[in-house]
C-alpha cells in the first residue's frame, strides 16, 4: 500500500465499479444479487438532480475503488428529527483492517454534519461479527430490532 485511502464522492464514470462492489457486498451478506439495470437506477438517484436523494462515497486506494458507503436523509417520527441513514458500507476483501472503514465512516459523519443532521443510523446482520466489532470500536451503539420487507 503506497498511499493512504482517498475517500470522496463517487463520479459517474465509476458507477460500474460501485455496482461490482455492491454485487460483492450481496455475496458477502448471503443476499440476492442486484437486479439488472442497477447502474442506471443509481445514476438517476446519485446524479439525476441538483440535490440527489442518495449519496455515495467511495474509498480509493492506489487508483482503485476498494469500498463504498451510501447514505440518505431520513426522518424519525418518534424523535421528530431527521438523521442520516447509512444503507451500505462495504470494503473489498483484503482491504479491511487498514483504516479505510474509519475513513469512510468519517466521511459519512461529515455528510451528516453538512446536512445539519445530528445522527447516523444503520444496520448490519447479527452474524456479521467483524462489522459489529468495528462499529463498537468506533463508538456506535446498537439497538436490537427486526427489519421487515413488504412487497408493493
Amino acid at each position: 500500500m503506497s498511499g493512504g485511502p482517498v475517500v470522496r464522492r463517487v463520479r459517474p464514470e465509476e458507477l460500474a465499479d460501485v455496482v461490482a462492489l455492491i454485487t460483492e457486498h450481496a455475496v458477502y451478506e448471503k443476499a440476492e444479487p442486484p437486479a439488472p439495470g442497477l447502474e442506471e437506477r443509481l445514476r438517476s438517484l446519485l446524479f439525476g438532480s441538483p440535490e440527489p436523494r442518495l449519496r455515495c462515497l467511495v474509498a480509493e486506494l492506489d487508483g482503485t475503488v476498494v469500498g463504498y458507503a451510501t447514505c440518505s436523509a431520513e426522518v424519525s417520527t418518534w424523535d421528530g428529527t431527521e438523521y442520516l441513514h447509512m444503507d451500505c458500507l462495504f470494503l473489498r476483501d483484503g482491504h479491511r483492517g487498514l483504516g479505510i472503514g474509519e475513513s469512510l465512516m468519517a466521511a459519512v459523519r461529515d455528510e451528516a454534519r453538512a446536512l445539519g443532521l445530528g445522527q447516523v443510523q444503520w444496520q448490519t446482520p447479527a452474524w456479521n461479527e467483524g462489522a459489529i466489532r468495528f462499529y463498537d470500536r468506533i463508538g456506535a451503539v446498537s439497538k436490537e430490532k427486526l427489519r421487515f420487507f413488504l412487497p408493493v
Side-chain angles (χ1 to χ4, degrees):
M1 185 162 96
S2 63
V6 174
V7 175
R8 56 172 172 71
R9 291 260 180 108
V10 68
R11 299 177 189 128
E13 64 270 17
E14 295 168 321
L15 282 178
D17 296 329
V18 171
V19 169
L21 284 168
I22 291 168
T23 302
E24 290 179 41
H25 193 178
V27 169
Y28 180 81
E29 289 205 2
K30 303 168 182 81
E32 293 294 316
L38 178 58
E39 186 174 334
E40 287 312 308
R41 290 191 304 279
L42 288 175
R43 185 176 309 283
S44 176
L45 289 168
L46 292 165
F47 305 107
S49 69
E51 290 298 320
R53 171 89 172 105
L54 183 66
R55 295 161 186 262
C56 179
L57 302 160
V58 293
E60 179 184 309
L61 189 62
D62 298 328
T64 302
V65 174
V66 298
Y68 77 102
T70 55
C71 52
S72 59
E74 298 295 339
V75 175
S76 168
T77 304
W78 285 6
D79 294 331
T81 60
E82 289 183 280
Y83 63 92
L84 192 67
H85 174 252
M86 182 175 69
D87 187 52
C88 292
L89 176 101
F90 180 75
L91 294 173
R92 184 163 275 149
D93 193 31
H95 293 87
R96 298 178 193 116
L98 304 174
I100 300 170
E102 286 91 340
S103 296
L104 272 169
M105 286 301 301
V108 168
R109 291 174 89 176
D110 289 345
E111 289 288 323
R113 281 187 201 96
L115 292 168
L117 305 176
Q119 190 176 72
V120 178
Q121 294 184 22
W122 66 92
Q123 60 192 21
T124 196
W127 57 261
N128 194 347
E129 294 175 3
I132 293 166
R133 281 192 306 274
F134 167 70
Y135 296 138
D136 285 343
R137 191 172 66 247
I138 65 170
V141 178
S142 67
K143 185 186 295 189
E144 191 165 324
K145 283 189 170 189
L146 296 176
R147 183 174 184 175
F148 293 88
F149 300 84
L150 181 63
V152 177

